[in-house]
């Protein structure tokens, strides 16, 4: 992989000793994009790994322990490669790319970052940022039913929404249906104040937020009014058959066994379903079995259904979220051993 990249980008590497290497880049403009304003990307890399990076002309000198230097060297070469192909590099992309290569140095970053899922109304390219996200996107393309299971902040719902909007815009489906269980109210919303929209809005707000982040609000609102995009509590799906639709069930860990079975059997011809959830955040009463956990146990061996699992390493929110998830996982594991 490393030699292949070197050939593609005609970079020159001079190994001065086992702790120092020099990279020579052929294009000054692209190198400037790699370095960032006032070399801020280089300083960011130095915070990610114990490597000292110095820029001089078209040369970058890397000094540190052998493994760290090799990791940052390969990271710089791959980042330069995607910049050459027009990718606008952001600071968070460097963090994601470093995390991916630190896990597996053979991964081709280009195949992940350049896999464009959708371009939002804000002209922002939505693409996977981790190996699990890439597997998730590929699974949604290939299978009619996909389960995305993992902690908050891993992009499960957001990427599913992007795939749904993309499918609608490309006329692969004629409508989108988005559902969430309203657990705290037991899906019996009558005692809550306000009209129906006000009753269910707190449970559906995250789905609206993701939708409005991808589409112009006026356009999205018009599609909702026409029924082309439907956002509704899970209970509203009962008794229906959803044909030619992209259906997303969010927070599926809070479905009961009966609700999950009901939802899974709504799928009609020409439709695709994505079910997302975090089995560590189940809000059901203790005597109730999570429909998500049960569905995985029952369906995991089906060749026509895909299960994609995320971990804290796939978190694409604030770096603290990853740390918090890891800390809670450790506590949960300790509690499990104590039982």
């Amino acid at each position: 992989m490393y030699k292949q990249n070197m050939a593609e980008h005609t970079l020159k590497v001079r190994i001065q000793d086992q702790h120092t290497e020099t990279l020579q880049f052929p294009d000054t403009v692209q190198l400037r994009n790699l370095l960032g304003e006032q070399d801020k990307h280089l300083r960011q890399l130095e915070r990610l790994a114990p490597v000292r990076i110095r820029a001089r002309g078209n040369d970058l000198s890397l000094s540190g322990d052998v493994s760290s230097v090799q990791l940052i060297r390969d990271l710089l070469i791959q980042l330069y490669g995607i910049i050459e192909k027009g990718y606008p590099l952001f600071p968070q992309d460097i963090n994601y790319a470093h995390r991916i290569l630190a896990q597996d140095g053979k991964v081709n970053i280009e195949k992940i970052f350049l896999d464009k899922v959708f371009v939002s109304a804000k002209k922002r390219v939505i693409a996977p940022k981790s190996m699990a996200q890439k597997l998730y996107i590929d699974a949604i393309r290939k299978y009619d039913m996909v389960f995305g299971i993992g902690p908050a902040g891993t992009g499960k719902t957001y990427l599913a929404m992007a795939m749904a909007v993309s499918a609608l815009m490309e006329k692969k489906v004629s409508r989108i249906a988005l559902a969430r269980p309203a657990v705290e109210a037991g899906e019996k919303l009558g005692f809550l104040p306000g009209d129906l929209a006000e009753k269910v809005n707190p449970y559906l707000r995250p789905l609206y937020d993701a939708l409005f982040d991808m589409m112009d609000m006026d356009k999205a609102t018009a599609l909702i009014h026409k029924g082309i995009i439907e956002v509704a509590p899970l209970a509203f799906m009962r008794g229906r058959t959803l044909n030619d639709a992209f259906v997303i069930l969010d927070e599926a860990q809070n479905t009961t066994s009966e609700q999950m079975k009901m939802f899974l059997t709504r799928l009609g011809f020409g439709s695709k379903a994505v079910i997302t959830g975090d089995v560590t955040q189940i809000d059901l009463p203790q005597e109730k079995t999570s429909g998500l956990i049960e569905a995985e146990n029952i369906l995991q061996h089906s060749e026509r259904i895909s299960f994609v699992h995320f971990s804290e390493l796939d978190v694409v929110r604030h770096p603290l979220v990853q740390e918090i998830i890891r800390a809670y996982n450790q506590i949960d594991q300790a509690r499990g051993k104590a039982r």
Side-chain angles (χ1 to χ4, degrees):
M1 170 57 69
Y2 173 59
K3 291 182 179 178
Q4 179 183 354
N5 277 336
M6 294 299 297
E8 288 177 358
H9 305 304
T10 64
L11 302 179
K12 297 178 181 178
V13 178
R14 298 192 302 273
I15 300 179
Q16 298 169 337
D17 57 54
Q18 68 174 31
H19 297 294
T20 303
E21 294 186 17
T22 299
L23 292 173
Q24 188 177 76
F25 294 83
D27 190 309
T28 303
V29 174
Q30 305 293 11
L31 176 58
R32 199 173 296 127
N33 292 330
L34 177 63
L35 301 181
E37 185 179 347
Q38 297 180 342
D39 293 348
K40 67 177 182 180
H41 291 165
L42 296 189
R43 305 290 80 81
Q44 182 178 351
L45 286 168
E46 288 179 330
R47 290 192 294 271
L48 291 172
V51 174
R52 184 178 182 183
I53 309 173
R54 292 294 175 264
R56 184 173 182 178
N58 280 26
D59 291 359
L60 289 183
S61 174
L62 284 63
S63 301
D65 65 83
V66 175
S67 59
S68 296
V69 168
Q70 290 175 345
L71 173 61
I72 299 301
R73 173 199 67 194
D74 293 347
L75 178 57
L76 285 166
I77 290 172
Q78 292 213 45
L79 290 176
Y80 183 83
I82 64 174
I83 289 172
E84 278 192 317
K85 291 180 169 59
Y87 186 88
L89 188 66
F90 293 98
Q92 61 266 35
D93 295 322
I94 296 174
N95 290 334
Y96 301 148
H98 174 266
R99 188 190 306 172
I100 293 169
L101 285 185
Q103 289 179 260
D104 185 353
K106 297 180 181 179
V107 173
N108 188 340
I109 298 296
E110 178 180 319
K111 290 185 178 180
I112 299 176
F113 281 32
L114 298 188
D115 185 2
K116 182 171 67 175
V117 175
F118 185 69
V119 179
S120 72
K122 301 173 184 177
K123 305 301 180 184
R124 185 166 59 84
V125 175
I126 298 173
K129 300 296 184 183
S130 72
M131 276 303 301
Q133 288 192 357
K134 170 63 175 169
L135 293 172
Y136 185 52
I137 291 301
D138 289 344
I140 294 174
R141 289 171 176 148
K142 181 178 179 181
Y143 295 90
D144 286 338
M145 184 173 290
V146 176
F147 286 77
I149 303 173
T154 49
K156 304 181 301 296
T157 304
Y158 195 81
L159 287 174
M161 185 77 76
M163 292 292 287
V165 174
S166 177
L168 181 66
M169 296 296 101
E170 295 174 10
K171 301 188 184 305
K172 294 179 180 178
V173 296
S174 61
R175 56 179 171 153
I176 297 173
L178 312 170
R180 259 191 165 203
V183 174
E184 294 85 349
E187 298 216 11
K188 297 177 181 179
L189 305 172
F191 67 87
L192 293 175
D195 59 21
L196 181 61
E198 291 171 333
K199 293 175 191 290
V200 302
N201 189 63
Y203 306 101
L204 305 178
R205 189 72 253 169
L207 294 175
Y208 281 113
D209 289 343
L211 179 62
F212 293 148
D213 195 43
M214 293 172 197
M215 300 182 70
D216 176 79
M217 184 173 291
D218 291 338
K219 183 175 182 179
T221 302
L223 291 174
I224 291 171
H225 286 161
K226 292 178 181 178
I228 295 174
I229 297 178
E230 179 182 2
V231 185
L234 177 59
F236 287 26
M237 299 293 168
R238 190 175 300 277
R240 302 173 58 187
T241 299
L242 298 169
N243 293 314
D244 195 27
F246 197 117
V247 191
I248 299 173
L249 173 59
D250 191 32
E251 297 289 336
Q253 76 276 4
N254 288 326
T255 61
T256 63
S257 175
E258 296 79 11
Q259 288 170 337
M260 179 60 78
K261 180 181 177 181
M262 178 273 291
F263 175 82
L264 297 179
T265 54
R266 298 308 94 200
L267 199 64
F269 293 106
S271 292
K272 189 180 289 285
V274 179
I275 300 95
T276 70
D278 177 3
V279 295
T280 69
Q281 295 193 40
I282 297 173
D283 298 319
L284 293 169
Q286 287 188 348
E287 67 274 11
K288 290 283 188 178
T289 300
S290 168
L292 178 59
I293 294 176
E294 184 180 69
E296 183 174 16
N297 291 335
I298 295 172
L299 303 172
Q300 61 182 326
H301 299 299
S302 172
E303 295 181 355
R304 302 181 64 181
I305 300 174
S306 177
F307 287 84
V308 180
H309 290 267
F310 297 82
S311 73
E312 74 274 5
L313 295 174
D314 301 299
V315 171
V316 290
R317 289 182 183 170
H318 193 286
L320 271 177
V321 176
Q322 187 181 36
E323 183 179 333
I324 290 168
I325 291 171
R326 189 182 297 114
Y328 272 93
N329 285 343
Q330 291 173 350
I331 290 175
D332 290 340
Q333 290 173 4
R335 287 172 178 168
K337 292 179 180 178
R339 288 172 183 171

